[in-house]
């Protein structure tokens, strides 16, 4: 299954921009891959791993802004339609076979 994280964070002050950068770095370090500018996805093996990932998101959330997470199955994720652009332009883990759990 996939966790899709959507976020809309304020970037008007220097502190807000720093919080944005720190949150984005956390997402990348935690295994999320960008789908769009403020949409990141992470492949997880089961509901337990999804719960732990959501708990880490809550722990590392920025003090202001909107952060949402959506859990979808692989079957649902693979039905995504690309209206403009294509999938080949993005490096992402497509299957559980490519996932390495450390």
């Amino acid at each position: 299954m996939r966790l899709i994280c959507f976020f809309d964070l304020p970037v008007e002050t220097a502190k807000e921009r720093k919080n944005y950068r720190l949150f984005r770095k956390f997402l990348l370090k935690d295994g999320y891959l960008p789908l769009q500018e403020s949409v990141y996805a992470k492949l997880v093996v089961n509901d337990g791993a999804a719960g732990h990932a959501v708990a880490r998101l809550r722990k590392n959330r920025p003090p202001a802004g909107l952060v949402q997470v959506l859990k979808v199955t692989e079957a649902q994720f693979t039905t995504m339609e690309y209206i403009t652009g294509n999938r080949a332009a993005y490096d992402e883990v497509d299957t559980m076979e490519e996932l390495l759990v450390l």
Side-chain angles (χ1 to χ4, degrees):
M1 75 181 41
R2 304 269 179 148
L3 290 178
I4 303 176
C5 179
F6 308 89
F7 61 94
D8 187 15
L9 304 179
V11 290
E12 294 176 5
T13 67
K15 183 157 181 67
E16 289 173 340
R17 286 188 295 275
K18 180 179 179 181
N19 289 334
Y20 174 89
R21 286 191 309 272
L22 290 174
F23 184 67
R24 186 178 173 283
K25 284 182 183 181
F26 159 75
L27 290 174
L28 295 172
K29 187 176 179 182
D30 204 43
Y32 289 83
L33 298 171
L35 295 179
Q36 292 185 13
E37 189 171 328
S38 295
V39 180
Y40 285 65
K42 178 178 182 164
L43 184 62
V44 293
V45 293
N46 56 30
D47 277 330
H52 290 295
V54 171
R56 285 191 304 277
L57 274 174
R58 283 194 173 110
K59 182 179 177 186
N60 291 282
R61 71 178 188 263
L66 176 64
V67 178
Q68 299 166 294
V69 64
L70 175 67
K71 183 170 50 171
V72 297
T73 65
E74 280 301 299
Q76 292 168 327
F77 188 80
T78 58
T79 62
M80 184 185 328
E81 293 186 32
Y82 291 82
I83 306 300
T84 302
N86 61 29
R87 182 178 180 186
Y90 302 98
D91 294 331
E92 68 178 54
V93 177
D94 288 12
T95 64
M96 295 303 253
E97 289 83 27
E98 295 179 25
L99 177 66
L100 174 62
V101 178
L102 299 176

